Amino acid sequence: MNYNLYLSALLMAATCCCLMMAFLSYRRRYLPIAVTYGLGMFVSSFYTFGYAFEIVSQNLDHILLWLRIEYVGILLGPVFFFLMVLQYTGREAWVRTRNVILLMIVPLLSFIAHTTNEWHHLFYKSMTIDNSAGFPLFSFEKGPLYQAQVLFSYTLFFIGVLFLVQMFRHAIPRMKKQIALMIIGSWGPFGFSLVYLSGVLYSPIDISPFGFIISGVFYMWGIFQFNMLRLAPLAWQKVFESMQDAVIVFDLDHVLTSFNRSARGVIEELHPKSIGQPASLVLANYPLLLKKLIEQTSFASNVQLSGMQSNKFYNVHLSLVTHRGGKPIGKMLLLSDVTEAIQAENQLRDNARQLTELNTFKDRMFSVVAHDIRDPIAVLVNLMDLLEEEIQDFGRDSEEIIQEMRQQIQNTFALVEGLLEWFRSQSGGQVFHPVERDLKHSVDSSIRLLRLRSENKQIQIISNISPGISVYADKDMLDLILRNLLSNSIKFTNSGGRITLNADRVDQHIVVSVSDTGEGISNEQARSLLQDEYPISATGTDGERGIGLGLNLCREFVHLNGGEIWFDSKLSQGSHFFFSIPVPPEPEATQPLFSIKAGIGA
């Protein structure tokens, strides 16, 4: 038995190997690279299959028949190899219909020339049978079209290998094994063919098809061991690197295996030498991430990180990386920048809070205005009733009542005019206009407005505030503070009582006190006063009704003017309310300190 039969059996094994890889590629046909690789392996099987029968053929006609079958793989194999490399190295944009058609022109013309060689002898100059090996072998003299076809095939091969080498140099370590197997497997048939055609190793047998055995071993190793056809390494790497989200991958021992460019912008400790380092070192400055990575298999939450992009908020998602069958092989941290969304959410929350506060302020102001206007108007109504009775009694002089009524009308008019003017000034929001103001003048104005109420209850109001004490405050706010504090003192002081006002300078503030001999404030009531929530309004000593908003508004206005408000009170011993107001600034800085502007709602 001649050894050509053993060689034929070996070539049939190579054919099976090519068909097996074509089948594996078909199962992954959803990947473009698998399609071109599978077609390349399929047409290569024509080469090995045809040569297996060529070396056992006994005459030239049979040999030429099998040669035509071989040339399907010889001519198309390099084309599909080149297309596969383009897709494998991330140059899939080059694989267009027009370019594929152009690449097929030379193989098509070569196949026609090979089939019709008897007519022109441009592919083979001569064809004979060589029996030197002990069995018939095809011997030929190369023609110009044969040499052109060889040049074309090896041009595609060397360009493809160059692309693979370039990719290997820039690939991450985990991908270099796949690329190396691709390069070695490609050199199998092309390398053997190069040795055969160059004559470096003389052999009457074409050793090129046997290179597919080596190629098949390395390709199948790459497919089964490294999942070579799952993704094109450079294409995957480009997608990985171009992701806007930061991706960090660890193995199950929490050792860093890979990360993308965005991750380096978030975790400043990441650099190429970080690959292979434990998470405890890589995430040493991020204890929360390290704890979640080690203790959990999955989680998602918003985390604020400080690093190269300091004080950024990220949505951190931890998930398992699984192999086929769901077997976990690692963990992946995905960090998405949500800083703008968090800031927008906080801004909306602040706007909603401000809107609520401003609407509350508006409601309070209308209630206080109603409270301030009600008492003078009620007095006018009472005076009108008295005047009507006096006019009916001609025997009594009504001049005193008329004078008092005139004074109350003037005071009420001045109050209403001031309040309306102030509200007009607030039409664009709560506006603060501090000016230098004589404190005694403001106190005396408030006392005059409340004089009738105090006299009706026989309450003495004593002001110990000397002229010339100046404060720096908003005029209307200061007047409202004084009126509210005096009104409350009158309300809760029994008939025959006394209210005293004093002012002392403490550092850069004037501290004003309003003290009364009233019934005082219980501990339960004290806890609700000057708080954010509305205090419950109590009934005065003569049954006076209030709205419970005056002190809250006083607190806000005092704070806006740069002061503080507090009180001291004991049951049955009276109350002492204090508030501070800044003194005027130095002459060279008499401009308003600041302006607060905010809408009060419609």
Side-chain angles (χ1 to χ4, degrees):
M1 182 176 180
N2 295 327
Y3 70 91
N4 63 327
L5 296 178
Y6 294 104
L7 295 177
S8 179
L10 190 60
L11 289 172
M12 292 301 295
T15 302
C16 293
C17 185
C18 291
L19 292 176
M20 172 61 75
M21 288 184 288
F23 174 73
L24 293 176
S25 300
Y26 175 78
R27 294 181 60 182
R28 294 169 173 81
R29 59 188 179 279
Y30 52 87
L31 297 172
I33 182 177
V35 174
T36 53
Y37 179 79
L39 288 173
M41 289 296 99
F42 179 71
V43 297
S44 297
S45 67
F46 281 75
Y47 188 9
T48 56
F49 181 78
Y51 197 62
F53 283 91
E54 178 191 337
I55 60 177
V56 295
S57 298
Q58 298 301 314
N59 57 64
L60 184 60
D61 291 337
H62 287 171
I63 290 175
L64 292 177
L65 172 64
W66 293 114
L67 270 175
R68 292 187 178 93
I69 296 176
E70 291 174 44
Y71 261 85
V72 173
I74 293 174
L75 298 175
L76 294 180
V79 174
F80 286 118
F81 167 79
F82 185 70
L83 293 176
M84 178 200 66
V85 170
L86 292 180
Q87 293 174 330
Y88 195 76
T89 57
R91 296 175 174 84
E92 59 277 353
W94 295 8
V95 185
R96 299 179 180 177
T97 303
R98 182 190 63 181
N99 295 339
V100 173
I101 293 174
L102 291 176
L103 288 174
M104 290 295 183
I105 292 176
V106 173
L108 178 61
L109 293 177
S110 297
F111 186 78
I112 295 173
H114 179 271
T115 306
T116 60
N117 185 71
E118 293 84 354
W119 300 346
H120 48 73
H121 299 285
L122 293 176
F123 201 87
Y124 299 127
K125 290 183 179 180
S126 63
M127 298 179 290
T128 59
I129 294 292
D130 181 8
N131 292 299
S132 60
F135 53 89
L137 289 174
F138 179 66
S139 178
F140 62 92
E141 184 180 355
K142 303 170 186 175
L145 293 183
Y146 179 93
Q147 294 175 338
Q149 180 269 326
V150 171
L151 178 63
F152 173 77
S153 297
Y154 274 93
T155 299
L156 295 181
F157 170 70
F158 283 117
I159 293 176
V161 171
L162 177 63
F163 288 161
L164 289 173
V165 172
Q166 288 179 342
M167 180 177 60
F168 180 84
R169 292 177 58 190
H170 298 94
I172 60 177
R174 186 166 57 88
M175 291 297 175
K176 287 189 175 182
K177 293 180 181 180
Q178 293 186 23
I179 304 170
L181 291 174
M182 179 67 73
I183 295 174
I184 297 173
S186 302
W187 270 99
F190 285 100
F192 278 39
S193 178
L194 188 62
V195 170
Y196 172 72
L197 293 175
S198 63
V200 174
L201 179 64
Y202 172 76
S203 172
I205 299 175
D206 184 359
I207 61 175
S208 303
F210 297 94
F212 283 101
I213 300 175
I214 297 176
S215 176
V217 171
F218 281 96
Y219 280 160
M220 295 186 81
W221 184 17
I223 291 172
F224 287 105
Q225 182 67 28
F226 300 104
N227 209 10
M228 188 170 65
L229 292 181
R230 183 64 183 173
L231 279 176
L234 188 60
W236 177 85
Q237 187 176 354
K238 284 185 176 181
V239 173
F240 188 61
E241 288 294 329
S242 65
M243 291 178 64
Q244 296 298 317
D245 295 335
V247 182
I248 311 172
V249 183
F250 298 87
D251 63 18
L252 292 179
D253 294 324
H254 305 114
V255 174
L256 182 66
T257 59
S258 67
F259 57 87
N260 65 352
R261 184 183 296 108
S262 298
R264 294 196 294 269
V266 178
I267 308 297
E268 57 184 350
E269 290 77 11
L270 292 176
H271 50 80
K273 294 183 179 180
S274 298
I275 301 295
Q277 293 182 351
S280 57
L281 182 61
V282 177
L283 301 178
N285 295 330
Y286 307 91
L288 178 59
L289 288 182
L290 180 60
K291 180 180 179 182
K292 296 290 187 183
L293 175 69
I294 295 176
E295 296 180 356
Q296 301 186 26
T297 56
S298 64
F299 85 98
S301 64
N302 290 334
V303 177
Q304 186 176 14
L305 301 180
S306 297
M308 297 176 66
Q309 303 179 30
S310 59
N311 299 323
K312 291 268 190 176
F313 288 92
Y314 293 90
N315 179 266
V316 181
H317 182 81
L318 173 66
S319 60
L320 286 175
V321 180
T322 59
H323 201 355
R324 287 180 298 179
K327 181 181 179 181
I329 58 175
K331 294 182 179 180
M332 180 179 67
L333 279 173
L334 180 67
L335 293 85
S336 305
D337 189 347
V338 293
T339 304
E340 292 185 2
I342 295 292
Q343 291 176 346
E345 181 180 348
N346 292 336
Q347 184 65 41
L348 288 174
R349 190 179 294 110
D350 290 342
N351 291 343
R353 178 183 54 80
Q354 292 177 6
L355 182 60
T356 302
E357 292 176 355
L358 292 172
N359 282 332
T360 303
F361 172 80
K362 176 197 69 174
D363 296 339
R364 290 180 181 180
M365 284 307 306
F366 281 122
S367 299
V368 170
V369 168
H371 178 264
D372 280 352
I373 294 177
R374 186 192 61 200
D375 285 350
I377 292 179
V379 172
L380 287 176
V381 172
N382 291 334
L383 288 175
M384 286 296 296
D385 292 339
L386 290 173
L387 181 59
E388 184 178 0
E389 293 176 0
E390 289 294 331
I391 291 176
Q392 292 176 358
D393 188 359
F394 296 100
R396 300 185 60 181
D397 187 9
S398 60
E399 183 63 27
E400 182 181 352
I401 296 177
I402 292 175
Q403 286 295 110
E404 183 63 32
M405 186 173 179
R406 181 182 298 110
Q407 183 64 40
Q408 287 297 323
I409 290 174
Q410 291 175 352
N411 292 342
T412 303
F413 179 77
L415 174 63
V416 172
E417 185 178 41
L419 288 172
L420 292 177
E421 181 64 29
W422 187 66
F423 268 109
R424 279 195 295 270
S425 71
Q426 308 299 303
S427 59
Q430 180 184 337
V431 182
F432 176 58
H433 292 301
V435 295
E436 185 174 347
R437 178 78 172 163
D438 186 276
L439 180 61
K440 180 174 175 58
H441 179 74
S442 295
V443 170
D444 291 344
S445 298
S446 298
I447 292 175
R448 283 195 301 270
L449 285 171
L450 300 170
R451 182 175 60 83
L452 185 59
R453 284 185 58 194
S454 62
E455 289 180 353
N456 287 340
K457 296 184 68 173
Q458 299 177 355
I459 295 174
Q460 184 181 8
I461 300 179
I462 302 172
S463 174
N464 296 325
I465 299 175
S466 304
I469 298 179
S470 298
V471 294
Y472 192 65
D474 184 280
K475 171 186 175 299
D476 298 301
M477 291 184 182
L478 179 60
D479 290 344
L480 189 143
I481 294 167
L482 290 169
R483 284 200 307 273
N484 269 281
L485 293 179
L486 284 172
S487 178
N488 283 341
S489 294
I490 294 173
K491 176 181 177 181
F492 295 106
T493 300
N494 293 314
S495 297
R498 185 177 66 255
I499 300 173
T500 306
L501 292 93
N502 292 288
D504 298 296
R505 177 162 180 164
V506 179
D507 296 330
Q508 296 300 312
H509 287 77
I510 301 296
V511 178
V512 182
S513 65
V514 180
S515 306
D516 61 63
T517 58
E519 57 187 18
I521 303 172
S522 66
N523 291 334
E524 183 179 353
Q525 289 176 317
R527 284 193 295 268
S528 68
L529 293 178
L530 302 178
Q531 302 301 316
D532 290 337
E533 65 270 11
Y534 294 164
I536 300 174
S537 178
T539 303
T541 55
D542 278 357
E544 301 100 322
R545 298 172 60 190
I547 58 173
L549 296 173
L551 284 178
N552 264 0
L553 201 59
C554 287
R555 173 180 59 83
E556 292 183 11
F557 284 175
V558 168
H559 288 170
L560 283 175
N561 282 275
E564 297 292 336
I565 185 170
W566 66 97
F567 68 93
D568 180 22
S569 180
K570 293 183 180 180
L571 281 176
S572 304
Q573 296 184 22
S575 302
H576 307 275
F577 279 83
F578 306 87
F579 69 92
S580 59
I581 294 293
V583 298
E586 297 298 327
E588 63 269 18
T590 57
Q591 296 296 326
L593 293 178
F594 55 87
S595 176
I596 299 176
K597 196 174 181 108
I600 62 173

